[in-house]
Amino acid sequence: MSAIRLQEVTKAWGEARAVDSVSFETAAGRFAVLLGPSGCGKSTTLRLIAGLEQVTAGRVLIAGQDVTSLAPAARRISMVFQSYALFPHLSVAENILFGLKVRGVPAAEQEKRLKRVADLLGIAKLLERKPSQISGGQQQRVALGRAIIAEASVCLMDEPLSNLDAQLRHEMRREIRSLQQELGMTMIYVTHDQTEAMSMADQVVLMKEGRIIQNASPAELYARPVSAFAARFIGTPPMNVVSLPSITGEGLLLGIRPEHIRLDDGRNKGKGVAAQVDAVEYLGADSLVTCRVGAEILTVRLPGQVELKRSSEARLAWDPEAVHLFDAASGLRVERETHTVVLTT
Amino acid sequence: MIRLSAQVHGWLLLLPAMVLLAAFTHYPAAATLLHSFFSTPKGERPAVWVGLDNYQGMVEDPVFWQALTNNLWFALGTIPVSIGLAMLMAVWVNGKLAGRGFLRMAYFTPTVLPMIAVANIWLFFYTPTYGLLEQVTGAFGLPSHNWLGTQNTVLGCLIVVTIWKEAGFFMIFYLAALQAIPPALAEAAAIEGAGRWYFFRRVVFPLLMPTTLFVLINAVINSFRLVEHIIVMTKGGPDNASALLLYYIYEVGFKFWDSAYASTLTVVLLAILASAAIAQFVFLEKRTHYQ
């Protein structure tokens, strides 16, 4: 049975449809990420699941029960907000216990659960402090604590890491993931950061303009993007999607990931694609080389440091299996097998 | 040379504000204190040092004690109700409802209207036999009553006017404070299952405490500062039943021309206000959360 199921869920404000007949389901204990650029409706979708917004059409089911018209508290969910939404005048302990106090959980039980959560998150020393007296990362942990102490089976997170610095974000990513697995929660996690989605999720729901573009595992999303949009959204740096009719023929876009392109060493003269080096960006473990092929720009990811001069000539090569093809008009994926294109590599 | 001219420049820029403050705030306050130790100069007789004689006379003055008692009842009657009403109205007009801008404006109107005009409107409400209040009670067959002309109702009538005037003004502060509370807090509380009242009691009310402190101090000062309504509506009567401290000071100073005794009363009024403000800061500060 799926823990969360959305059926044709739509949210409209007047004519504008923030969420447009979205359907997906997530199995219990899975980590699902709603991914997309800002304004794609992912946060609204999360708020519809939480019950903070009312759906215009469609149904929301949690653990098989139709909760579409239930109040947030009756849906048995917990939520972590982007701003953390900690109560500034209450201590860390009171913040975490807020929901238990509302529900009238006995004091001994409160005490026991608070200790467990505080130990789990490593905030036992901060319990008497006010939110303004602790760091952003610690506030994040308190918000997590408030969400998990309720022991709700479903946890919703709205861009919880966007206010943290890169180092801390990386750390919290792993921590949230392991917490979710340890507690066996079903997680719906909203982010615009594809790295977060790829590294944490069991299932990624990629959205654009209120609709689902692709609902798949991270590996599937990486290996078989269903459209040029999905291809360009995933990967650091994302896939090159370019128009090179000399290679693909008319009406098709060529997609190739930067890490799948290599420099031809020149032994096979006349092979590969002639390119001009525009810029080289050295990142340590690898380098990003920006190349110009005709009017198109391709990014190439090469290991280590690369000795290439600006404006010098280079020949790019790749394996035929690494090539993705997209329809130039619709942007949709076109299977290679159905196209007998000679790929000059 | 450059340093010196910069200093002169600075002092010159400060001068207008300093002159105004010194002439209209600091000097009068110091002079008042000084005058309270002298007799009132009359014609040929200049003021002479009398020490604490004025204070002695004040303690023996029954009208002073009545004005002070009236003022305490007046403060007790106006402050809690106007603050409570202000909070209630602010929470109401902060919600999503139709015509909310109009409602906010309507609540604020009493503050914008000149005090004298307000007093005149209410004077008509309270007028015996044909005033608005009389017409309403008369329609229910109740006997006629002179609201402002009776000792045991006159103070109550003034309290109602003041609440009506102050609550809208205080509401603006509460409204501003409410809008500074992030909506995510209400959402987080809703997910945790907190009802509206629980959320108000545990979260909104404590977060409004800095505003409450500010409003409370203002309300206390206002309740000891009221004079216009009394001049227009009752002139302190009947038999000093509606005389408040500042009105009594005005009477002593500008009707009886006893400036020394008026100074003495003023010093007492200032002392009361200062200690009230300090007490509020000391007791409430600890229980107030500032963001």
Side-chain angles (χ1 to χ4, degrees):
Chain A
M1 185 180 62
S2 56
I4 293 173
R5 171 184 282 193
L6 271 67
Q7 293 179 332
E8 302 284 322
V9 167
T10 295
K11 175 70 187 177
W13 278 283
E15 284 295 295
R17 290 184 160 214
V19 176
D20 197 353
S21 60
V22 160
S23 303
F24 71 90
E25 55 186 290
T26 300
R30 299 256 288 173
F31 196 119
V33 169
L34 299 180
L35 176 69
S38 57
C40 75
K42 56 192 189 301
S43 279
T44 309
T45 306
L46 193 78
R47 292 169 62 83
L48 290 170
I49 299 172
L52 295 172
E53 305 283 354
Q54 293 304 307
V55 299
T56 311
R59 298 205 303 158
V60 178
L61 290 92
I62 295 178
Q65 190 199 354
D66 188 343
V67 298
T68 315
S69 54
L70 290 185
R75 297 187 178 201
R76 296 182 32 75
I77 48 150
S78 57
M79 185 160 172
V80 176
F81 291 82
Q82 182 172 6
S83 61
Y84 313 146
L86 298 178
F87 303 115
H89 61 295
L90 297 180
S91 69
V92 165
E94 285 171 314
N95 261 292
I96 295 175
L97 289 173
F98 188 87
L100 298 188
K101 287 201 167 142
V102 172
R103 297 190 169 97
V105 173
E109 172 76 9
Q110 285 184 23
E111 201 60 31
K112 208 175 74 192
R113 286 210 221 168
L114 175 64
K115 192 179 176 323
R116 197 166 66 220
V117 168
D119 288 341
L120 193 63
L121 294 166
I123 51 174
K125 287 204 177 82
L126 308 173
L127 291 177
E128 296 311 312
R129 303 244 195 114
K130 294 277 170 68
S132 58
Q133 296 166 322
I134 58 179
S135 72
Q138 290 166 336
Q139 289 181 16
Q140 167 73 75
R141 283 198 172 84
V142 176
L144 274 174
R146 191 173 63 186
I148 62 179
I149 200 166
E151 294 176 0
S153 57
V154 173
C155 183
L156 310 176
M157 294 199 173
D158 188 3
E159 309 220 13
L161 304 183
S162 56
N163 292 339
L164 302 179
D165 60 60
Q167 173 90 42
L168 205 51
R169 204 179 304 171
H170 185 79
E171 205 176 295
M172 290 306 294
R173 227 154 60 194
R174 278 190 322 205
E175 218 166 291
I176 290 176
R177 176 63 166 152
S178 68
L179 205 61
Q180 179 262 336
Q181 285 172 332
E182 195 173 327
L183 301 175
M185 290 185 290
T186 310
M187 185 83 86
I188 306 282
Y189 184 107
V190 163
T191 184
H192 62 267
D193 181 348
Q194 59 89 23
T195 321
E196 273 176 32
M198 297 299 277
S199 60
M200 297 167 91
D202 296 313
Q203 173 189 4
V204 179
V205 179
L206 180 64
M207 293 182 70
K208 182 195 177 192
E209 289 163 5
R211 290 169 175 276
I212 293 181
I213 300 296
Q214 189 165 9
N215 173 6
S217 69
E220 169 91 2
L221 204 61
Y222 179 83
R224 289 175 48 83
V226 295
S227 70
F229 169 78
R232 285 192 179 112
F233 206 83
I234 304 296
T236 18
M239 187 190 285
N240 299 296
V241 179
V242 293
S243 170
L244 290 173
S246 60
I247 298 173
T248 60
E250 289 298 327
L252 286 176
L253 296 173
L254 171 80
I256 180 84
R257 295 207 176 271
E259 52 272 39
H260 294 155
I261 305 179
R262 57 179 189 274
L263 284 188
D264 204 81
D265 53 13
R267 269 179 295 182
N268 324 314
K269 270 213 177 310
K271 290 244 176 146
V273 180
Q276 193 182 25
V277 175
D278 248 15
V280 179
E281 206 181 332
Y282 173 58
L283 298 177
D286 42 25
S287 304
L288 297 181
V289 183
T290 311
C291 297
R292 191 180 290 275
V293 178
E296 295 284 354
I297 305 272
L298 276 95
T299 306
V300 182
R301 183 172 180 159
L302 298 168
Q305 206 164 0
V306 185
E307 296 298 331
L308 279 173
K309 290 213 168 51
R310 212 182 122 81
S311 307
S312 66
E313 295 292 325
R315 296 199 79 84
L316 307 180
W318 51 76
D319 297 332
E321 306 83 64
V323 170
H324 304 256
L325 295 173
F326 302 100
D327 186 84
S330 66
L332 292 178
R333 182 181 186 83
V334 176
E335 292 307 330
R336 271 194 307 271
E337 293 75 36
T338 64
H339 264 262
T340 49
V341 188
V342 182
L343 300 165
T344 45
T345 53
Chain B
M1 190 57 207
I2 290 165
R3 272 181 61 100
L4 187 71
S5 83
Q7 285 215 338
V8 170
H9 239 105
W11 285 108
L12 277 176
L13 287 169
L14 274 178
L15 194 65
M18 270 172 56
V19 167
L20 286 175
L21 262 178
F24 294 105
T25 307
H26 298 147
Y27 170 71
T32 303
L33 184 63
L34 196 68
H35 289 168
S36 73
F37 298 115
F38 284 85
S39 67
T40 305
K42 286 197 175 97
E44 299 291 293
R45 278 182 296 139
V48 292
W49 173 268
V50 294
L52 291 175
D53 276 9
N54 285 326
Y55 291 90
Q56 177 73 35
M58 182 184 74
V59 173
E60 286 160 8
D61 177 6
V63 183
F64 163 71
W65 288 109
Q66 175 155 24
L68 191 64
T69 322
N70 283 347
N71 220 147
L72 289 177
W73 282 115
F74 181 77
L76 224 66
T78 53
I79 296 168
V81 180
S82 58
I83 290 181
L85 261 180
M87 210 183 277
L88 201 72
M89 295 192 303
V91 169
W92 190 38
V93 298
N94 192 40
K96 285 180 188 148
L97 68 152
R100 150 175 98 152
F102 179 77
L103 209 57
R104 285 180 190 176
M105 193 187 69
Y107 282 135
F108 197 57
T109 314
T111 312
V112 181
L113 290 176
M115 288 247 218
I116 304 293
V118 165
N120 272 308
I121 295 168
W122 281 89
L123 202 55
F124 164 68
F125 288 172
Y126 289 137
T127 307
T129 66
Y130 63 87
L132 189 68
L133 198 55
E134 286 285 86
Q135 288 184 19
V136 172
T137 53
F140 287 101
L142 295 168
S144 177
H145 182 80
N146 186 351
W147 294 95
L148 292 176
T150 314
Q151 286 196 28
N152 36 10
T153 53
V154 64
L155 200 59
C157 288
L158 288 177
I159 288 174
V160 170
V161 177
T162 311
I163 291 170
W164 174 81
K165 188 161 170 59
E166 305 253 274
F169 182 54
F170 294 155
M171 183 201 73
I172 296 298
F173 295 106
Y174 278 119
L175 196 56
L178 281 175
Q179 293 189 341
I181 297 177
L185 293 188
E187 293 175 352
I191 283 176
E192 300 291 352
R196 277 171 70 104
W197 170 240
Y198 189 91
F199 176 64
F200 179 80
R201 193 165 55 82
R202 283 288 308 278
V203 180
V204 176
F205 187 76
L207 289 180
L208 289 178
M209 266 314 260
T211 311
T212 303
L213 183 60
F214 171 78
V215 165
L216 188 61
I217 289 169
N218 268 282
V220 169
I221 292 172
N222 281 353
S223 73
F224 280 90
R225 226 179 49 169
L226 187 86
V227 69
E228 297 96 324
H229 292 173
I230 301 171
I231 291 174
V232 174
M233 293 173 77
T234 68
K235 301 223 168 16
D239 192 20
N240 293 320
S242 63
L244 301 186
L245 211 46
L246 189 61
Y247 181 75
Y248 186 49
I249 293 171
Y250 161 78
E251 254 190 345
V252 169
F254 299 103
K255 279 188 165 166
F256 312 152
W257 296 106
D258 188 351
S259 59
Y261 187 40
S263 298
T264 313
L265 292 170
T266 306
V267 170
V268 169
L269 177 62
L270 287 179
I272 291 173
L273 288 181
S275 45
I278 290 168
Q280 285 170 3
F281 271 116
V282 169
F283 291 121
L284 291 175
E285 188 85 333
K286 289 192 206 103
R287 304 176 49 190
T288 301
H289 170 81
Y290 289 98
Q291 296 247 343

